[in-house]
Amino acid sequence: MTLDDIRAAADRIASGIVRTPLLTCTWADPERPLWLKPETLQPIGAFKIRGALNALARLDEDARRRGVVAYSSGNHAQAVAYAAASEGITAHIVMPRSTPQIKIDNTRAHGAEVVVCGEGEREKVAYEIVAERGAVLVPPFDHPDIIAGQGTIGLEIAEDMPDVDVVLVPVSGGGLASGIASAVTALLPNAKVIGVEPELASDTKESLQAGSIIEWSIEKRNRTIADGLRSQPSELTFAHLRSRLHDLVTVTDDEIRSAMAVLARKGRLVAEPSGAVPTAAYLHHAAELPAGRTVAVVSGGNVDPALLSDVLTRSLDEED
């Protein structure tokens, strides 16, 4: 993945995305200033729209006629559905039963045909649809066009804050972290890109320590509240993470909940658990992070209303 690839992606998707600002956090530690990159403001409420728009923009006319297929637990599903609708392309989206209902409903609302499947079956079902219909698979992270699209976030951070010291980004399949790290390290060689993942789905941390991908079972990864961070990196994304991440830290589910409450009450941002993970690292693991001006990517805000209500209620109870 090159900087030119990411810049080309930025040109392709410019008309379809929100160029999200960097929000100053007056409530943060003045010794460690914090800015938030609110990808919650995107049309589908998450960063995934960037990669989806870039991937679909690269399809030829024959591929567009055949339609696209995606598999996802939520935000990639919504992104491909939205991008396909905007391009007049038929989309079939495969989603596991554990997906929050709000994400399934939102995907259908964009006009896609949603196929709900059992746990661990989404890729198999997606490939069956591809074979049956001759459609094009748009993977959630394991593709250069997806990585380049997500990398436009890093491009924007580097342009808006060339003196940033630390960029905190969530890690799951690795497309977002790969893209952001590729852009930031190319433009700002002194900045540190730190990956953050849930402790209950920290397969990437274990894999980086081992030097090769360590497989975790679906059941093990699904324990975390951060439903958008339950995937594992591919060989492609893992290679990027190994070479371009400065470090990776993990956060507990309780810390994720705490960060969601802080983002809502102090940052005025609704974040899903996955989107709050980088802020959780800032709030609870400062000693493990480099010092300096920090940007935390708030990657998505498609949270189940009942979960958000519970998180906010608990945070108030803890203050009493």
Side-chain angles (χ1 to χ4, degrees):
M1 180 57 53
T2 69
L3 186 59
D4 285 343
D5 294 327
I6 296 170
R7 283 177 166 153
D11 290 340
R12 283 188 207 101
I13 69 176
S15 64
I17 65 160
V18 173
R19 194 189 193 286
T20 52
L22 293 180
L23 305 178
T24 305
C25 299
T26 57
W27 43 268
D29 181 356
E31 299 296 319
R32 189 186 293 269
L34 177 68
W35 286 260
L36 302 175
K37 180 72 167 168
E39 288 297 292
T40 55
L41 303 181
Q42 294 298 345
I44 58 101
F47 76 95
K48 290 283 192 177
I49 188 64
R50 295 172 181 264
L53 282 172
N54 189 49
L56 266 62
R58 300 267 287 162
L59 297 178
D60 60 27
E61 285 305 315
D62 178 61
R64 289 167 178 264
R65 283 193 296 271
R66 289 184 280 127
V68 296
V69 176
Y71 56 87
S72 167
S73 62
N75 287 330
H76 179 65
Q78 294 175 75
V80 172
Y82 178 93
S86 67
E87 296 281 345
I89 299 173
T90 301
H92 290 77
I93 313 293
V94 182
M95 308 179 79
R97 292 192 185 94
S98 61
T99 303
Q101 190 62 42
I102 187 173
K103 294 184 179 181
I104 294 176
D105 293 343
N106 288 347
T107 302
R108 286 189 171 125
H110 292 309
E113 180 175 327
V114 174
V115 179
V116 179
C117 67
E119 296 304 312
E121 296 180 353
R122 62 183 193 174
E123 293 184 43
K124 177 178 73 70
V125 174
Y127 278 105
E128 288 172 354
I129 298 173
V130 167
E132 176 186 336
R133 297 180 174 271
V136 177
L137 182 70
V138 182
F141 50 84
D142 189 27
H143 195 285
D145 292 339
I146 297 293
I147 296 173
Q150 321 306 24
T152 59
I153 296 173
L155 193 66
E156 292 172 11
I157 292 171
E159 291 172 351
D160 292 350
M161 187 177 288
D163 57 350
V164 67
D165 297 299
V166 183
V167 179
L168 302 175
V169 57
V171 174
S172 181
L176 176 62
S178 294
I180 289 178
S182 295
V184 172
T185 56
L187 291 168
L188 308 174
N190 293 324
K192 306 293 191 297
V193 181
I194 310 294
V196 189
E197 67 180 347
E199 188 177 276
L200 293 177
S202 56
D203 54 288
T204 302
K205 182 172 184 177
E206 183 177 339
S207 297
L208 290 172
Q209 291 172 339
S212 60
I213 295 177
I214 303 297
E215 298 281 345
W216 279 31
S217 70
I218 294 170
E219 293 76 18
K220 190 174 182 181
R221 285 180 275 126
N222 280 4
R223 297 173 302 163
T224 180
I225 190 177
D227 61 277
L229 301 182
R230 293 171 176 167
S231 294
Q232 297 188 124
S234 65
E235 292 291 346
L236 174 63
T237 57
F238 186 68
H240 282 75
L241 299 178
R242 284 190 70 186
S243 63
R244 291 166 188 174
L245 278 188
H246 178 74
D247 199 0
L248 190 148
V249 301
T250 63
V251 294
T252 69
D253 275 22
D254 284 344
E255 290 166 349
I256 296 170
R257 286 175 174 271
S258 169
M260 290 174 65
V262 169
L263 287 169
R265 296 175 61 197
K266 295 183 178 180
R268 309 299 190 267
L269 288 175
V270 172
E272 62 189 273
S274 305
V277 163
T279 305
Y282 173 88
L283 293 172
H284 300 285
H285 295 267
E288 300 174 45
L289 302 174
R293 296 158 63 88
T294 300
V295 170
V297 177
V298 185
S299 56
N302 295 310
V303 60
D304 180 81
L307 173 59
L308 180 62
S309 176
D310 179 64
V311 165
L312 294 176
T313 300
R314 288 192 187 190
S315 72
L316 289 173
D317 291 343
E318 289 169 1
E319 289 186 0
D320 292 342

